[in-house]
Amino acid sequence: MLSTIPTIADAQILDAADPLSCFREKFLIPKHKGKDTMYFTGNSLGLQPRSAAEALKTELDDWAEHGVEGHLRARHPWMHYHELFSKPLASLAGALPSEVVAMNALTVNLHLLLVSFYKPEGTRTKIICEAKSFPSDRYALLSQINFHNLDPDENLIELSPRDGEHCLRVEDIEKAIFDAGDSLATVMIGGVNYYTGQLHNLQKITLAAHKVGAICGFDLAHGMGNVPFELHNWDVDFACWCSYKYMNSGPGAVSGIFVHERHHNSDIPRFEGWWGHDKSIRFDMSPSYISMGTVESWQLSNAPILNMAVHKASLEIFEDAGGIHALRERSLRLTAYLEKTVQAIASTTGTNLEIITPSNPVERGCQLSIVAHGQGRDLQDKLSEAGVIVDWREPDVIRMAPVPLYNSFEDIARFGHILAESLS
Ligand SMILES: *Cc1c(COP(=O)(O)O)cnc(C)c1O
């Protein structure tokens, strides 16, 4: 009955043949009854790198030894700590090092960026977003519109998929942008939708926004560390992300932003703080602000070193693995394997398992979202009792993300057999 679901032995052969399989060893896999769980929620909280504890200890030891002098004398001087992220984040975002910085938390950064990039003026007041955007993003957009004393009902254009479809078509997004025309101030879309796993065409959306004179930005919470981007070349205006999902930097870990270099020296409005001040003369403690002239001018506060220590350790793993393009190649194979497995289970068990994530690999990251028609919460309970960790959304949606750094083909095959048994 399970004959078309990949066997564990098949999966082990694929794992053995893949040079990136060894990176799983660099992570702490949560256990269930003494065995590794099948952990598919790296889209929600990435796993802990083994190197995280040592990285934290380095900073704790330097703090113990140097106190305040650690700002200059720590092994990685805290004063300049955020600069350690310029290159690795630039490589994940497809940006210049001067266009990315790690700071604050995600929703905080989204607000700071909207201060700069949502500037309603005259009749150009509208924002386009997805109807099913992440709730925090929606709250941020609504409150920004309210903050400008505008009516959210009139100024937030929320795009829904066509009837009977789950994902937005890029031509429909473009049409909405052209229809809004010069009433459109800003487009703000989740680069990878958290619910469906759809990867949007950032380049086309940005081009359309610019054609009508609007600003275009993306929330890449589900994108960074999952798929490669070319934010600079695609001419994206701004982006933000968190580091605790695909970047494995720990619960609530530091966010990051991208601001295209063409905005760095413009007289764009910005909320300012001392960490955005020209660092060569920051400690002159001058009463007036002189901008860093790079994305660093969006920084407000000195860096949260303990939190960033894990981020640093985590990003080193991406480099060791050969970067995001190498990981994406493995990711495409893992997700295709999961897709085939789910399809085999649907046909062998006669269950309607509808994958709502686009089937075209170019339009998705690693996550698949599956509607388990006719199933309920007890399916989720059965899975978790068997050591499978997936994200369940009421009433019947399973979201799962095979992460190329630590998930294996074997995880997927083991999951497949458990799901099939749970359904039959
Ligand atoms: C995870 C996620 C958030 C969470 O925001 P925090 O400020 O980090 O709590 C916001 N937006 C999107 C799109 C997300 O995926």
Side-chain angles (χ1 to χ4, degrees):
M1 180 182 173
L2 303 179
S3 60
T4 54
I5 301 170
T7 66
I8 309 288
D10 277 348
Q12 286 170 340
I13 290 168
L14 292 174
D15 282 326
D18 189 328
L20 290 180
S21 294
C22 59
F23 278 80
R24 179 181 176 90
E25 292 300 313
K26 294 185 183 286
F27 292 86
L28 294 161
I29 314 282
K31 302 285 183 207
H32 175 79
K33 297 183 178 157
K35 284 178 75 179
D36 286 354
T37 53
M38 287 139 276
Y39 189 86
F40 292 112
T41 44
N43 53 352
S44 186
L45 184 69
L47 290 180
Q48 181 183 144
R50 285 182 192 275
S51 53
E54 187 61 39
L56 263 174
K57 189 163 181 303
T58 298
E59 302 312 326
L60 288 171
D61 289 351
D62 284 356
W63 178 22
E65 188 174 335
H66 302 294
V68 71
E69 297 193 327
H71 282 297
L72 290 171
R73 296 176 57 182
R75 277 162 281 181
H76 312 291
W78 304 329
M79 179 114 85
H80 309 292
Y81 205 89
H82 63 274
E83 294 167 20
L84 298 171
F85 301 104
S86 305
K87 271 200 187 149
L89 289 176
S91 126
L92 292 176
L96 306 176
S98 60
E99 292 175 321
V100 287
V101 68
M103 63 183 207
N104 308 323
L106 173 54
T107 308
V108 174
N109 284 339
L110 181 55
H111 276 296
L112 291 176
L113 288 167
L114 289 169
V115 163
S116 298
F117 295 107
Y118 175 54
K119 294 172 290 177
E121 253 181 57
T123 54
R124 191 184 282 281
T125 56
K126 293 184 178 165
I127 299 180
I128 281 185
C129 70
E130 300 155 282
K132 272 201 175 177
S133 60
F134 194 90
S136 196
D137 296 24
R138 185 163 192 273
Y139 307 153
L141 295 174
L142 289 174
S143 60
Q144 286 280 337
I145 293 171
N146 279 319
F147 183 72
H148 289 282
N149 294 318
L150 293 165
D151 179 358
D153 288 340
E154 278 171 27
N155 289 290
L156 190 63
I157 305 173
E158 300 184 81
L159 307 183
S160 296
R162 296 184 186 185
D163 280 349
E165 297 185 8
H166 294 282
C167 294
L168 281 168
R169 298 191 191 191
V170 68
E171 62 267 28
D172 290 352
I173 301 177
E174 289 169 324
K175 180 169 184 304
I177 290 171
F178 296 138
D179 286 351
D182 57 15
S183 74
L184 186 63
T186 303
V187 175
M188 211 304 288
I189 286 185
V192 175
N193 183 276
Y194 83 101
Y195 189 77
T196 62
Q198 177 182 20
L199 167 59
H200 288 289
N201 188 323
L202 276 52
Q203 188 173 20
K204 281 191 172 172
I205 295 171
T206 303
L207 189 65
H210 289 174
K211 270 193 186 148
V212 301
I215 286 278
C216 192
F218 298 92
D219 185 330
L220 302 181
H222 281 259
M224 278 287 276
N226 176 10
V227 292
F229 294 106
E230 290 292 335
L231 299 185
H232 177 85
N233 290 337
W234 294 341
D235 219 21
V236 169
D237 293 288
F238 71 92
C240 50
W241 52 82
C242 58
S243 66
Y244 49 82
K245 290 172 179 163
Y246 293 104
M247 283 192 279
N248 312 316
S249 302
V254 67
S255 166
I257 67 166
F258 161 89
V259 175
H260 198 284
E261 68 171 347
R262 72 173 166 279
H263 297 298
H264 292 177
N265 288 309
S266 62
D267 51 4
I268 203 157
R270 192 169 48 217
F271 285 171
E272 291 168 346
W274 73 322
W275 234 247
H277 186 280
D278 181 352
K279 58 191 164 195
S280 64
I281 49 172
R282 182 182 294 142
F283 286 89
D284 295 355
M285 299 295 201
S286 116
S288 51
Y289 176 93
I290 300 169
S291 161
M292 269 299 297
T294 68
V295 71
E296 286 187 35
S297 49
W298 270 264
Q299 288 183 114
L300 300 180
S301 298
N302 77 99
I305 302 301
L306 297 182
N307 156 355
M308 284 184 167
V310 179
H311 193 34
K312 176 174 174 297
S314 240
L315 292 180
E316 282 165 5
I317 302 177
F318 280 83
E319 276 177 48
D320 292 348
I324 188 67
H325 290 276
L327 286 164
R328 171 67 165 163
E329 196 274 328
R330 173 175 159 89
S331 173
L332 289 169
R333 288 188 292 119
L334 279 170
T335 296
Y337 196 71
L338 175 61
E339 184 177 38
K340 271 199 324 204
T341 302
V342 170
Q343 286 163 347
I345 296 164
S347 73
T348 52
T349 63
T351 315
N352 184 356
L353 299 174
E354 182 193 1
I355 299 175
I356 60 174
T357 309
S359 55
N360 180 356
V362 173
E363 294 173 37
R364 67 189 186 197
C366 71
Q367 173 183 324
L368 292 184
S369 302
I370 304 154
V371 182
H373 291 281
Q375 304 296 318
R377 187 96 206 175
D378 60 322
L379 175 60
Q380 155 79 349
D381 294 341
K382 282 184 194 162
L383 293 176
S384 77
E385 276 158 31
V388 175
I389 306 184
V390 294
D391 180 276
W392 181 269
R393 294 276 145 156
E394 294 299 339
D396 56 5
V397 176
I398 301 171
R399 297 187 310 156
M400 39 191 311
V403 171
L405 274 174
Y406 49 76
N407 282 119
S408 60
F409 290 94
E410 183 176 341
D411 281 341
I412 294 170
R414 280 173 65 206
F415 155 77
H417 290 273
I418 292 164
L419 178 60
E421 276 154 31
S422 308
L423 289 170
S424 49

